[in-house]
Amino acid sequence: MINQNVTKRPVRIGLQLQPQHMDYATIRRVASKAEELGADILFNWDHFYPLYGEKDGLHFECWTMLAAWAESTSRVEIGALVTCNSYRNPELLADMARTVDHISDGRLILGIGSGWFERDYAEYGYEFGTAGGRLDDLATALPRIESRWGKLNPPPTRKIPVLIGGGGEKKTLRLVAKHADIWHSFADADVLEHKLGVLHGHCETVGRDPAEIEVSVEIGGSTDPKDGDRFRELGASLFTVGVGGPDPDLGPLREWLAWRDATNE
């Protein structure tokens, strides 16, 4: 199942600079280097503790970092992959996003998801609840965020792109169909093909052209950009490399950027 309209999108390469196991000077240096190399998007993530390695290792908060990146970079788009909906009131999150949008001169992407890392919830005093309940909360929050953007003075500099991460077929992909400009999947190519079929069904139900939604995929630390060819055939156009501390290796990013340039020729 290949959506020819989507495959016409140029390839973009993101870097998820995981804010763990390194000091901020290293994070700032690597972020600047990624922009210099030509990355299209610079992501962090929204957690309070490392996701792997030393569980109490160095770690920094998401949105204060995005504001800093808005000042320390000048071209690359920035965002979280992804913000946890549970951690902030939707109106506050909308205002934070609008502010970072202005600081960055219109380079923010609002990546958002329903949350899953129980330690964050337990140690910071949020109710963990159930996966279904957290998705229901996200469904309620998204229109509130959109509504708040229409009330803020000044308004956002542009229609802030909304990226929704996850692949749940009943709830998450329906939210993608209704609200997302970008859908981020963690699936392999075979699973992605199936999920795209489900997403297209939801788009038909809500009356939306699926070609309006950019397909984003996680490529982790892969060093073989040919792995992207199959994703590209399915319509993916945003490919994100992940790196963390203590000494982030940008070698895979360089390989994927070269693949992007060759593919977009």
Side-chain angles (χ1 to χ4, degrees):
M1 177 185 60
I2 302 174
N3 188 320
Q4 296 296 337
N5 291 326
V6 175
T7 58
K8 292 179 181 178
R9 291 180 184 268
V11 169
R12 302 198 293 163
I13 301 296
L15 177 74
Q16 186 186 50
L17 181 53
Q18 302 154 358
Q20 59 177 7
H21 304 309
M22 55 186 146
D23 58 28
Y24 188 72
T26 301
I27 292 173
R28 182 176 57 241
R29 173 180 57 79
V30 175
S32 296
K33 185 62 176 180
E35 179 174 54
E36 177 186 326
L37 290 172
D40 296 292
I41 305 172
L42 183 63
F43 293 112
N44 59 10
W45 66 30
D46 190 17
H47 295 288
F48 305 130
Y49 296 93
L51 295 188
Y52 53 85
E54 169 53 47
K55 68 177 184 177
D56 292 316
L58 299 176
H59 199 279
F60 291 97
E61 193 275 330
C62 170
W63 276 90
T64 45
M65 183 178 295
L66 289 177
W69 285 357
E71 288 282 8
S72 66
T73 62
S74 60
R75 175 196 56 78
V76 69
E77 288 190 288
I78 59 175
L81 193 62
V82 290
T83 295
C84 177
N85 174 65
S86 305
Y87 301 158
R88 301 163 192 88
N89 170 280
E91 284 74 19
L92 172 61
L93 180 59
D95 203 342
M96 292 167 61
R98 181 281 309 254
T99 300
V100 175
D101 166 69
H102 274 264
I103 296 170
S104 66
D105 292 325
R107 293 183 287 122
L108 179 76
I109 294 170
L110 177 61
I112 193 166
S114 60
W116 63 273
F117 190 38
E118 189 170 3
R119 185 185 183 191
D120 284 347
Y121 286 79
E123 300 223 25
Y124 276 60
Y126 298 104
E127 181 180 352
F128 188 57
T130 66
R134 294 192 298 275
L135 278 166
D136 291 340
D137 290 343
L138 178 59
T140 299
L142 286 164
R144 287 172 60 182
I145 291 168
E146 294 164 356
S147 175
R148 180 57 50 179
W149 280 337
K151 298 175 183 177
L152 292 170
N153 184 16
T157 66
R158 62 172 179 169
K159 181 187 181 301
I160 296 175
V162 173
L163 178 155
I164 295 177
E169 296 181 9
K170 293 182 178 180
K171 293 185 177 182
T172 302
L173 292 181
R174 182 173 177 83
L175 291 176
V176 171
K178 293 178 68 175
H179 297 282
D181 302 287
I182 306 168
W183 170 49
H184 183 77
S185 170
F186 299 91
D188 62 26
D190 290 339
V191 174
L192 179 67
E193 184 170 15
H194 167 73
K195 298 288 186 182
L196 283 168
V198 175
L199 175 59
H200 288 199
H202 284 305
C203 285
E204 184 176 358
T205 299
V206 303
R208 189 170 182 204
D209 182 354
E212 297 176 4
I213 303 169
E214 184 173 17
V215 178
S216 169
V217 294
E218 188 85 5
I219 49 180
S222 170
T223 56
D224 185 2
K226 291 181 180 179
D227 292 342
D229 291 342
R230 174 63 172 149
F231 285 121
R232 184 64 173 156
E233 291 172 358
L234 292 170
S237 59
L238 175 54
F239 300 77
T240 297
V241 180
V243 297
D247 185 21
D249 177 10
L250 293 185
L253 176 64
R254 290 182 172 90
E255 296 292 330
W256 282 95
L257 289 171
W259 175 79
R260 175 200 66 187
D261 295 343
T263 302
N264 286 343
E265 285 181 351

